[in-house]
Every structure is written in structure tokens, then in C-alpha cells.
Amino acid sequence: MAKVPAAAVAAGGLIGGYGVARWTKKRQLGGVVLAAAGATAAQQWKQQAGGKAAGALTAAYIAAFAGSHPLAKKVGAWPAVFGVAGAVALASWAVADRRA
């Protein structure tokens, strides 16, 4: 079975976490999705690029989540989520996935 790239896992966690929170009206459930995907991506980043890179990408993942909130006030919720998810996916690919 092919491994899902960490970039897709991280982007999916940001998009899926928001989607679950929005559609279920349970923010905590969205947080579970966000955290599970983040932990999975962090493990892959560590395996592919080492601890320092995994730490930096995890920080970027958390910053993207936090940054999507003020960005959403300017561009809307979904565009903000897709924007930060794309940024994290690109960083993941550049730092870890293209090496795998």
C-alpha cells in the first residue's frame, strides 16, 4: 500500500479539522482531526527529514492553524483554510516529501 505524503496529511488535517468543526458544530471534534493529522504528519516528517525539520514543520502547522483565524476575517473562512493548508503542504514537500 502506498504511503500518503506528509504534505497531503498536513493539508488534509487543516482542511478536515475545519470542515468537521463547522459541519458538526463541535469544535473539539475538529480539534481531534487537526491533532491526529498533525501528529501523523510530524512522525512522517521526522522519519523523512529528521527532528529539526519535523519541529520546524510542526511549528508551521500550528502557526497555520492559528494564522487562519485572523486571515479568515479578511478573506473568508474557506479561502483562509485552503491558503494555509497549501502553504503547509508546500513547506512539507520542500523540506521532507521530495526527499522520500
Side-chain angles (χ1 to χ4, degrees), residues 9-96:
V9 173
L14 289 161
I15 295 166
Y18 175 69
V20 166
R22 181 173 175 134
W23 290 314
T24 64
K25 307 232 186 299
K26 295 185 185 334
R27 294 177 72 184
Q28 298 87 349
L29 194 54
V32 169
V33 172
L34 180 80
T40 301
Q43 285 181 327
Q44 287 182 256
W45 291 328
K46 187 173 181 185
Q47 289 173 352
Q48 293 169 351
K52 272 187 163 179
L57 288 168
T58 300
Y61 184 79
I62 294 167
F65 167 69
S68 68
H69 292 81
L71 182 60
K73 292 179 181 179
K74 296 178 190 268
V75 300
W78 280 112
V81 170
F82 285 127
V84 299
V88 168
L90 181 61
S92 177
W93 176 82
V95 173

